[in-house]
Amino acid sequence: MGSKKKRAEKKKDFQKTKLRVGKTAARPDNYTDTSFTAKSISLPNQTIAKPKQGATTNNGGDVDLAHHLQLVKHHSASTRKEVLAFIEAHLPSNSASYKQILTVTLSLLTDQSESVRSAFVSLLSACADRQPGFLQLHMRSIVLFVHSAMSHIRGDVRATSTQALDILITKAASSLVSGFLVKTLRSFFSLLSWTLSDDKKAVSLAVNTTASLGGVTKKTRARHLAVLARLLQATLFVDDSEKSGTDWTRCSVVHPQTPQFMIPQNPQAFAQLKLFVEELPSQRASSGASGNGTYTLSDVDAVSTEDIETRRKVIEDVFLSPLRKNLVATSKDGGEVGAEASKCLQILDKFEGELKAQRAEE
Amino acid sequence: MGKKRRAAILPTNIILLQNVVRRDPESYHEEFVQQYSHYESLRDIFLLNPSADQGTDFADLIGFVSAVCGCYPKETAKFPDELKNILLNNHRSLTPDVREKIIQCLTMLRNKDIISAESLILTLFPLLEAYSSNSQNASTSSHHAKAVRSQIYSTLVLLLKAVNTGAKNQKINRSTQALLFNMLEQRDGRGLWATKLTRELWRRGIWDDSRTVEIMSQAALHSDVKVSVAGARFFLGADKERNDALEDDLSDDESFDMNALKHKAQHNKKSGKRGKKIEQALKTMKKKNNAKISATYLNFSAIHLLRDPQGFAERLFTDHLTNKNANRYNLEQKILFMNLISRLVGTHKLTVLGLYSYFLKYLTPKQRDVTQIMASAAQASHDLVPPESINSVVRKIADEFVSDGVSTEVAAAGLNTIREILARAPLAIEQPLLHDLVEYKGSKAKAVMMAARSLVSLYREVAPEMLHRRDRGKVASLELQSGEKKGLPVFGIESSTVTTIPGLELLSKWRQEQGEQDENADENDENWAVVLQDEEEESEVEGDWVTMDSDKEYNISDSDDEEKEDKTNDNKDEDDSDLELSDDENVKESTDAAEDADQPAKKKQKTVATDSTAAMNELLSSRILTPADFAKLEELRVQAGVDKLIGKKQHNEEAIDSTSLLGQVKYKQLREERIAHAREGREDREKFGSKKGKRDAPHSTTNKEKARKKNFVMMIHKKAVQGKQKLSLRDRQRVLRAHITKQKKKGH
C-alpha cells in the first residue's frame, strides 16, 4: 500500500476544484499557451495583390517576368546574360512593367562581364523599339548610369559604355542633348583621356593611358569617336526629320511663336526644373552667362541646354578649342581612329563655318 | 617580359589607385578626377533611388575620395558637405553598410582636419537622437539601430577625448553640453544617450566641471524613468568608476620601480648609458605626475560640484518619491533615489524634513531590501536636522526591529542602524530608549551583543551622561568627575569648532622638553622639505577640512605674511624689535579668539585653558611652523590618543554600506562545507591521522589479518570462539584486561 501522502495525492486528482467569486478558474494541466506577439501578420495565400503563380502566361499572352527579374542579380555571368536575352525575347505588351524591367536591369550597364553588358544594350534598344518615348521618359536614370560607366575604373566597362550612349543618340537625341549635354561631353573628355583645361598637372592621364597600356584598343577608340561625332552632329544641328506637323513660321492665323507656349510633346519636358528630383544643394550660385556673355568651364554645369542656341554657345565658348586641339592630334594618328577624328573635325568645321556666316550677316 | 614602369601600371581597382594617388597626387590627378566624376554619377544614381541596393561600389568610392581628399582640396571642396547631407537627409534609406562607411569617412575627414569637430558633432547628434531605442519610427528601430548607436557613441567619445587632450577645448565642450541639455529637455527617453555620453566622459576624466554635473542633475530630475535612474546612478557611482579608471591607468603604466632604479644607480658602475636611463625614467615619472595628478585635474566628486544641492534634493524628493506618479518607479529605483537624496542631505547637510517621515513607511523587517533603506535613513541624518525628525525614525526602528520577538539578525541590523544614525545625530534619542537598547549588550547572539556594545562605546564618547553609571566606563567616568566633558550636546550649537591648530599645545610642551635646542628651526631648509606622502595620506589630509567662522579672527602663520610685515617695517632699524612688536599684536588677537572659543565650554578649568593658550601663543608668535613640525604634531596627537576610538571624525560624506548594517552573521554551514573545512585542517598531518588501511612497509597479508577477515560462519563453531561465551566472568575480565594492556604496549 502506498503511503498516506500518496493516497491523498491520488485522491486529489479526482476532486473537483471549486470555483470562487473574483478568481479566474485554474487552468487545466494540459493547457497550452498558443498566444504570440508579432508586429504584422501576413497571409501570403490570401493576398489579393498577386495572381497565382501556377500559370506562366497571363491573359495577354505575356510571360510573367517576376522570376526572371530576380535572376538578373545572379552570381553567374552566363545566367545573367541568358536572363537578359530571355527578357528581350519576351518583352511584355503592357507598358507599365517596362519601368520595373529598366530599374532592375539598369545596373548591368557596369557589369563585370562584357557579354552581359552587350546583352543589356540590345535589351535597351529592343525596349526602345517596342515602347516609343521609353528612352525619353527614363533618360535621366539611363544617362546617370551611362556616365557612371564612362568614368568606371575598369577599362573594359568604359570601352563598351558608348554602345548604350549610341542608342540614346540614335533614338532620343533631342532629349539627351537638351538635358545632359555638358556632363556627357565632360565624360567624353575623361573617357578619351583628353584634357579640358590647360593645367600642367592635367597631362598625366594622357601620358599614362596610352592604348598599349590600358587595354584601350584602337577599335574602341574609333567607336568612341564615331559616337562623339554623332553626338556633336545632334547637338549642333537641328534634325529636320524630327520636325513634325505644321510649319509654324508659315502660319498667319496664329502667332508664329505659339509652339513655344504650348504644352510640350515630349515626356518629362520640365525635368530641367528638377521639381521632383532629390539632389544635393550646390553651394555655387548658378550664374548663367558670366559678365561678358561667354560661358566658362566652371559655370557651364548649371546651364540648361534646352535650345540649340545655348548649345551652340556652350560648345563654342567652352568645348570648341579643346575638342579641336585633341581631335587634330588624334587625326594625325591615322588609321580608323584618324578617320573618325577627321569626321568629327568636319562637323566642327561646318559648325564654325555656319557661325562665321551668321556673324557676317550680323 | 620587359620591365614595366611602376608608375605606368594603370590602377584597375580602387585600393591600388588610392595607394598610388597618395604617393604622387600630382601625376594621378586625372585618374582622380575621373573617379571623382564616377563618384558624382554614383551619388546621383543613389539620390535617384536611395533605398535600392547598389552594391559596394558607392561605399568604396566614398572611402577612396575621403582618403585622398587632402591631396585635392580644390576639387573636393564640396565633398564633406555632400556626405553630411546624404547622412542627415537619407539616413533612413541608406543601407547599413553605406551608413557605417559614411560615418567612418566623416570621422576620417575630421582626423585629417578637413572638417571641424563642431560640424561632425552637429552631424552625428541628430542621428543619435533618431536612432535612440525608443524612437517611434520603425525604420530607425531596426536591428541595425543598435550598431549605428554604438558607432556614433564611440565616435563621439573618441572625438571629445581627442579634442580635450592637452588643454581642454572649452568651446566644443560647451557646445556639446548645450546639445546634451537640449536632448534632456525633451520628455522622452532620448536623454538616455546624453546621460551615457556624459557618464563615459566623466569616467575618463574628460569632463569634470560643474556644467557636466548640471547635465546629470537635469537627467536625474527627468520625467522618463530610464533617464532619471541613469542620472541617479551617475551621482552614486560615477566617482568611484572614475577613480578606478584612473588607478588602472596609473598601474598599467607603472612598468619600472623608481626606488629600485635609484638604488641600482648608487651601486652599479656609472656609465653614460645608465645615467641616461635614469634621467629618462625621471622624466617620464614627472610627466606622469604632471599629467594625471596635476593641479588642473580637480578630483571633485559630482555631488560636491552641484550648483544648488538643496533645490536638487527637494525636487528629487517631491518629483520622484512623494509625487502622484512616483509609482512609476519600482522599489529598486525608489531605493536608488532615497540613497541619492540621503547622500546629498548628508554631504551638504541639507534640510529635507519630509524625507524622515517618508522613511517610516518602509522601515519594517518584512520590507524587501530594508537594509538599503536603513542605510539611506542613516546617511540622511546629521546634526543640523531637528532631533525630533530623526527621533521618529529611531523610534520606529527600535519598535520594529529591536525587540525580543524578532530574529537576532533583524535586531542586530536595527541596532547597527540606530548606532549609525546616532553617530551622526547624537541628540535624536531619549534616555529611556537608549537605556533599553543598551540592555541588549547582554544578548546571547553575538551580532546583537556587539551592536549594543558599539552603541555603548559611541555614547561613552559623545554623551556619557545619557548612559547608566555602570555603562560609562572608566575613562568617561573620570572625565565626568574631573569635569572635562562639556555635558550634553545641544541642538544648534556646533561642538567641533576649531579655533587653533589642534594639538599645538602638545607640540609646545614637547619642544620645551627637548630644551628648544633648535631655536631657529624654521630657518633650516631641511624642515621645509615636504615629505612625499602616499596618496592615501594625502587624501586623508584633504578630507580634514578645518571649519572657519567668518566672524572670528584667526592668526595664520604664513611666510607670506611675515614677508609683508617685513616690508611694512622695512624702515625700522632692527629686525628683532619689529618682530616683537608684531608678536604683541598677535598675542592679543589670539587670546581674544581663544576666549571666544571657550565661551560655550564654561566648565573647562580656567587655569588649564589659559596655560595651553599661553603656550600656544608663545609658540605661534615666536616661529613659523614647518612641515616637519606638523609631522611631529601629528605624531604627538596619535601618542596622546586624541584621535581615538571611532575614527577621527564622523564623515557625513561617507556612504554607508548596507551590508555592514547586518553585522557579522554566521550561518550554519552546509555538510559539504563542513567536510571541506575539516579536510583543510587535516592537510599535512598524516602522522596524526588514522593508520587504517595503510601499511608502513609493503608485505603480504599476515595471519592475523586473514583470521580477522575469515568468514564468520566458518569461525562460529570453533572452540576459540564458542569458548568465549562459556568463560567465567572472572576469566572474561582477565582476558579483556590482558587485551587492553597489550594494546597499550603496542602504542595504540
Side-chain angles (χ1 to χ4, degrees):
Chain A
M1 278 320 280
S3 67
K4 201 175 175 186
K5 192 180 159 200
K6 265 188 184 167
R7 259 182 283 154
E9 268 178 12
K10 265 186 191 167
K11 207 176 169 189
K12 213 164 72 180
D13 288 343
F14 298 98
Q15 267 172 351
K16 194 181 175 189
T17 47
K18 273 186 183 170
L19 296 174
R20 303 176 106 183
V21 180
K23 311 256 175 180
T24 48
R27 297 238 154 97
D29 282 344
N30 58 357
Y31 173 77
T32 311
D33 189 11
T34 52
S35 67
F36 65 93
T37 51
K39 276 188 180 164
S40 63
I41 300 172
S42 68
L43 300 169
N45 53 355
Q46 290 181 19
T47 184
I48 53 169
K50 223 194 294 173
K52 277 242 170 184
Q53 282 282 311
T56 48
T57 56
N58 52 17
N59 45 13
D62 289 342
V63 180
D64 188 16
L65 291 172
H67 173 64
H68 292 93
L69 287 178
Q70 281 174 4
L71 285 179
V72 158
K73 292 213 166 81
H74 197 268
H75 58 87
S76 147
S78 59
T79 313
R80 287 199 296 261
K81 194 190 93 185
E82 277 162 22
V83 165
L84 285 178
F86 181 85
I87 294 174
E88 193 183 336
H90 299 86
L91 276 177
S93 55
N94 181 9
S95 60
S97 51
Y98 278 84
K99 182 172 191 232
Q100 197 198 356
I101 292 174
L102 185 76
T103 47
V104 172
T105 55
L106 196 48
S107 57
L108 295 180
L109 200 55
T110 56
D111 195 274
Q112 304 277 330
S113 153
E114 186 170 357
S115 57
V116 177
R117 290 196 298 269
S118 51
F120 170 74
V121 169
S122 75
L123 171 67
L124 188 68
S125 83
C127 286
D129 289 341
R130 288 286 290 269
Q131 292 282 320
F134 170 78
L135 289 178
Q136 284 88 342
L137 185 63
H138 299 292
M139 183 58 82
R140 187 179 146 75
S141 52
I142 299 173
V143 162
L144 276 177
F145 273 92
V146 168
H147 288 163
S148 151
M150 285 169 88
S151 58
H152 203 274
I153 192 161
R154 290 172 61 100
D156 50 341
V157 177
R158 274 188 312 231
T160 51
S161 59
T162 43
Q163 292 175 356
L165 190 65
D166 194 26
I167 295 169
L168 292 184
I169 293 170
T170 9
K171 297 186 173 155
S174 62
S175 71
L176 172 71
V177 294
S178 65
F180 310 95
L181 173 69
V182 175
K183 264 207 108 191
T184 313
L185 274 177
R186 269 174 181 274
S187 304
F188 254 112
F189 270 82
S190 75
L191 179 69
L192 293 165
S193 59
W194 291 346
T195 54
L196 257 177
S197 53
D198 292 332
D199 271 354
K200 287 239 169 56
K201 62 177 173 182
V203 296
S204 65
L205 199 64
V207 173
N208 291 332
T209 324
T210 50
S212 59
L213 287 171
V216 185
T217 57
K218 291 204 164 149
K219 213 172 182 182
T220 56
R221 246 177 119 71
R223 216 158 54 215
H224 292 332
L225 283 171
V227 176
L228 177 63
R230 288 150 61 76
L231 178 69
L232 286 175
Q233 174 71 34
T235 309
L236 296 171
F237 306 105
V238 186
D239 190 1
D240 295 328
S241 64
E242 276 187 26
K243 283 223 163 162
S244 59
T246 45
D247 187 3
W248 290 95
T249 47
R250 300 255 180 94
C251 207
S252 54
V253 184
V254 287
H255 196 272
Q257 283 187 348
T258 307
Q260 295 181 14
F261 300 98
M262 282 174 68
I263 294 172
Q265 300 285 309
N266 53 336
Q268 301 217 352
F270 299 107
Q272 271 68 35
L273 300 178
K274 290 175 182 167
L275 290 175
F276 307 106
V277 181
E278 198 178 356
E279 230 177 35
L280 293 174
S282 106
Q283 269 73 27
R284 199 194 302 133
S286 48
S287 54
S290 54
N292 54 0
T294 54
Y295 294 114
T296 60
L297 189 58
S298 54
D299 57 25
V300 85
D301 280 332
V303 174
S304 161
T305 52
E306 187 71 48
D307 53 333
I308 188 160
E309 280 77 25
T310 328
R311 285 203 293 269
R312 289 183 150 208
K313 192 164 168 50
V314 165
I315 296 283
E316 186 199 353
D317 289 348
V318 182
F319 293 103
L320 189 58
S321 62
L323 266 178
R324 185 170 279 283
K325 190 184 81 188
N326 287 308
L327 282 171
V328 166
T330 317
S331 65
K332 277 173 190 159
D333 290 354
E336 204 181 345
V337 181
E340 291 293 345
S342 44
K343 247 187 221 170
C344 291
L345 275 175
Q346 280 168 15
I347 297 171
L348 288 181
D349 286 337
K350 188 181 163 198
F351 167 58
E352 273 183 305
E354 276 188 24
L355 264 185
K356 269 179 195 158
Q358 211 177 336
R359 295 268 159 78
E361 269 179 38
E362 283 169 11
Chain B
M1 289 297 287
K3 260 196 286 180
K4 274 186 185 174
R5 279 180 304 129
R6 188 179 170 78
I9 297 172
L10 256 193
T12 49
N13 70 44
I14 208 84
I15 311 280
L16 196 60
L17 182 62
Q18 182 176 327
N19 185 21
V20 293
V21 163
R22 276 167 126 180
R23 281 157 189 249
D24 191 1
E26 287 281 303
S27 15
Y28 283 90
H29 177 261
E30 281 300 301
E31 275 87 349
F32 170 75
V33 169
Q34 194 182 32
Q35 286 314 305
Y36 193 69
S37 66
H38 191 54
Y39 152 75
E40 278 174 336
S41 54
L42 278 184
R43 179 200 69 206
D44 289 343
I45 292 168
F46 164 78
L47 287 175
L48 200 67
N49 187 8
S51 54
D53 184 23
Q54 260 106 30
T56 57
D57 281 359
F58 188 45
D60 287 348
L61 261 179
I62 289 174
F64 164 73
V65 176
S66 45
V68 299
C69 205
C71 306
Y72 308 103
K74 215 172 76 190
E75 286 85 346
T76 58
K78 286 193 292 178
F79 177 69
D81 289 327
E82 283 172 7
L83 278 193
K84 262 187 265 173
N85 273 320
I86 290 176
L87 194 60
L88 283 179
N89 300 331
N90 304 351
H91 62 87
R92 290 211 165 79
S93 46
L94 284 170
T95 56
D97 293 339
V98 177
R99 195 165 46 206
E100 194 188 329
K101 188 77 189 177
I102 292 180
I103 297 174
Q104 253 175 31
C105 290
L106 282 174
T107 319
M108 194 202 291
L109 292 177
R110 156 70 209 130
N111 292 341
K112 293 182 172 185
D113 241 357
I114 292 164
I115 58 173
S116 64
E118 284 101 332
S119 72
L120 181 56
I121 288 174
L122 282 176
T123 319
L124 293 183
F125 252 92
L127 287 194
L128 195 58
E129 279 185 42
Y131 284 90
S132 62
S133 52
N134 41 4
S135 67
Q136 276 79 37
N137 200 321
S139 65
T140 57
S141 61
S142 65
H143 59 283
H144 293 298
K146 202 177 172 192
V148 177
R149 283 198 303 263
S150 59
Q151 192 193 9
I152 294 174
Y153 173 69
S154 57
T155 309
L156 280 177
V157 169
L158 284 178
L159 174 70
L160 284 168
K161 191 187 169 196
V163 158
N164 280 309
T165 42
K168 294 226 185 293
N169 190 338
Q170 291 300 354
K171 200 177 153 213
I172 287 182
N173 286 350
R174 272 169 183 276
S175 60
T176 315
Q177 282 164 351
L179 286 171
L180 293 179
F181 273 122
N182 285 341
M183 274 174 106
L184 283 172
E185 263 165 26
Q186 285 142 2
R187 295 183 65 79
D188 53 3
R190 284 174 209 183
L192 194 60
W193 283 96
T195 62
K196 277 192 181 178
L197 197 64
T198 315
R199 184 166 188 164
E200 181 61 24
L201 292 170
W202 180 271
R203 190 181 75 78
R204 292 174 178 233
I206 297 168
W207 284 359
D208 50 7
D209 54 344
S210 67
R211 266 176 81 86
T212 317
V213 176
E214 196 63 21
I215 291 176
M216 291 315 269
S217 66
Q218 278 226 2
L221 293 171
H222 202 269
S223 58
D224 188 83
V225 174
K226 274 187 178 174
V227 180
S228 57
V229 165
R233 286 239 161 80
F234 170 79
F235 282 105
L236 291 174
D239 290 306
K240 196 169 168 295
E241 260 181 13
R242 182 173 67 172
N243 291 340
D244 287 351
L246 195 67
E247 273 168 23
D248 279 355
D249 286 357
L250 283 180
S251 59
D252 283 350
D253 301 345
E254 211 77 17
S255 54
F256 54 87
D257 186 8
M258 198 60 219
N259 288 335
L261 270 182
K262 269 185 185 166
H263 185 75
K264 273 182 203 162
Q266 275 179 346
H267 298 288
N268 283 352
K269 198 177 141 192
K270 270 98 189 154
S271 70
K273 196 181 172 192
R274 279 187 186 137
K276 266 180 203 162
K277 232 182 200 173
I278 293 261
E279 268 174 33
Q280 199 65 35
L282 262 177
K283 239 185 218 171
T284 50
M285 203 71 179
K286 261 185 194 166
K287 215 182 195 176
K288 214 178 287 168
N289 287 347
N290 282 340
K292 294 277 165 58
I293 320 163
S294 64
T296 55
Y297 187 75
L298 290 174
N299 198 359
F300 280 120
S301 82
I303 289 182
H304 283 106
L305 284 173
L306 276 171
R307 287 181 184 163
D308 176 20
Q310 175 73 39
F312 182 47
E314 273 173 9
R315 280 196 61 197
L316 272 179
F317 181 61
T318 51
D319 288 3
H320 293 332
L321 292 184
T322 54
N323 206 359
K324 230 187 280 173
N325 45 13
N327 47 17
R328 283 180 306 173
Y329 302 102
N330 60 23
L331 185 69
E332 276 88 36
Q333 290 159 343
K334 274 185 188 162
I335 287 174
L336 195 69
F337 285 120
M338 282 185 221
N339 200 353
L340 174 57
I341 296 169
S342 62
R343 281 291 299 280
L344 289 171
V345 168
T347 311
H348 293 282
K349 296 205 171 179
L350 309 175
T351 315
V352 185
L353 290 180
L355 187 63
Y356 304 99
S357 51
Y358 179 78
F359 280 131
L360 293 184
K361 185 167 73 173
Y362 291 98
L363 289 171
T364 54
K366 291 270 172 69
Q367 170 70 41
R368 196 152 54 89
D369 288 336
V370 73
T371 48
Q372 293 185 35
I373 298 169
M374 286 157 99
S376 9
Q379 277 169 13
S381 43
H382 58 85
D383 53 355
L384 297 186
V385 182
E388 306 86 59
S389 313
I390 304 179
N391 189 14
S392 61
V393 177
V394 172
R395 192 173 282 283
K396 172 87 173 177
I397 294 175
D399 290 347
E400 292 277 352
F401 288 81
V402 193
S403 68
D404 286 332
V406 299
S407 73
T408 56
E409 233 178 281
V410 172
L415 281 172
N416 280 327
T417 314
I418 290 175
R419 185 204 64 215
E420 288 291 344
I421 293 175
L422 295 180
R424 287 163 169 76
L427 291 169
I429 193 168
E430 292 99 358
Q431 207 163 0
L433 181 57
L434 181 65
H435 287 171
D436 285 353
L437 294 179
V438 162
E439 286 306 309
Y440 280 88
K441 73 179 195 241
S443 166
K444 274 176 191 159
K446 198 178 176 192
V448 180
M449 180 261 287
M450 280 179 36
R453 275 192 190 170
S454 71
L455 196 59
V456 173
S457 61
L458 169 73
Y459 269 85
R460 279 182 185 171
E461 188 69 11
V462 288
E465 296 93 332
M466 288 181 73
L467 293 170
H468 281 304
R469 186 178 284 273
R470 62 171 183 271
D471 292 328
R472 282 176 195 167
K474 189 179 164 193
V475 182
S477 303
L478 279 178
E479 276 178 347
L480 268 184
Q481 273 177 9
S482 64
E484 263 183 66
K485 277 279 170 187
K486 292 175 263 180
L488 283 173
V490 189
F491 174 65
I493 293 175
E494 200 155 358
S495 56
S496 61
T497 37
V498 179
T499 49
T500 57
I501 301 166
L504 199 63
E505 65 277 0
L506 292 171
L507 185 68
S508 70
K509 206 201 268 175
W510 174 76
R511 282 173 55 79
Q512 275 171 1
E513 283 163 11
Q514 295 288 309
E516 316 228 354
Q517 80 276 51
D518 46 351
E519 187 57 45
N520 292 327
D522 51 337
E523 282 159 25
N524 192 349
D525 273 352
E526 273 179 35
N527 287 335
W528 285 104
V530 181
V531 184
L532 270 179
Q533 287 164 307
D534 289 344
E535 279 188 357
E536 287 178 357
E537 280 175 358
E538 272 181 340
S539 66
E540 229 167 277
V541 171
E542 269 173 35
D544 228 346
W545 295 93
V546 177
T547 341
M548 303 284 263
D549 284 3
S550 59
D551 52 352
K552 284 178 187 169
E553 284 189 76
Y554 300 93
N555 49 346
I556 302 158
S557 66
D558 196 12
S559 55
D560 289 346
D561 278 6
E562 203 179 38
E563 277 175 16
K564 248 185 255 165
E565 278 176 6
D566 280 355
K567 273 177 194 164
T568 50
N569 299 328
D570 235 359
N571 46 3
K572 298 265 169 104
D573 295 341
E574 283 184 36
D575 280 347
D576 283 4
S577 64
D578 65 44
L579 267 177
E580 275 169 11
L581 270 176
S582 61
D583 284 354
D584 287 343
E585 290 166 14
N586 276 352
V587 170
K588 254 188 233 163
E589 282 173 10
S590 56
T591 41
D592 285 352
E595 275 168 16
D596 282 352
D598 282 355
Q599 271 170 3
K602 284 275 161 96
K603 283 181 187 172
K604 223 177 196 175
Q605 286 179 338
K606 206 73 189 176
T607 49
V608 174
T610 46
D611 268 2
S612 68
T613 47
M616 204 162 55
N617 291 334
E618 194 266 332
L619 187 70
L620 281 181
S621 54
S622 60
R623 57 191 297 274
I624 300 161
L625 293 177
T626 62
D629 284 337
F630 279 109
K632 189 71 203 172
L633 196 146
E634 193 72 16
E635 194 187 317
L636 288 172
R637 279 180 55 157
V638 173
Q639 273 176 9
V642 175
D643 305 323
K644 60 189 168 187
L645 293 174
I646 347 165
K648 273 187 178 175
K649 227 185 240 177
Q650 194 60 57
H651 287 295
N652 273 311
E653 305 179 2
E654 271 174 16
I656 297 174
D657 184 16
S658 63
T659 51
S660 72
L661 290 180
L662 276 178
Q664 281 186 328
V665 192
K666 198 178 178 190
Y667 293 100
K668 200 176 174 188
Q669 287 175 317
L670 293 173
R671 185 165 179 273
E672 287 79 19
E673 282 174 329
R674 260 181 287 144
I675 289 171
H677 192 68
R679 283 245 168 81
E680 212 172 286
R682 271 184 222 148
E683 269 173 17
D684 303 327
R685 287 172 62 85
E686 290 95 2
K687 210 170 97 186
F688 306 100
S690 138
K691 287 205 174 62
K692 194 179 171 189
K694 288 170 197 162
R695 283 174 179 173
D696 294 336
H699 58 81
S700 53
T701 337
T702 57
N703 284 344
K704 212 174 186 182
E705 278 169 350
K706 280 178 186 149
R708 208 184 294 141
K709 280 188 179 165
K710 194 157 188 179
N711 197 349
F712 167 68
V713 188
M714 290 163 81
M715 291 300 290
I716 199 164
H717 302 292
K718 297 278 175 181
K719 203 181 173 186
V721 177
Q722 277 197 333
K724 275 183 190 169
Q725 293 293 323
K726 289 168 186 168
L727 283 179
S728 70
L729 198 62
R730 187 176 156 70
D731 284 343
R732 235 192 251 184
Q733 201 177 18
R734 194 187 293 152
V735 169
L736 196 63
R737 274 270 151 71
H739 176 71
I740 289 170
T741 47
K742 205 176 175 187
Q743 289 294 316
K744 274 184 183 167
K745 274 178 190 167
K746 273 167 117 183
H748 278 288

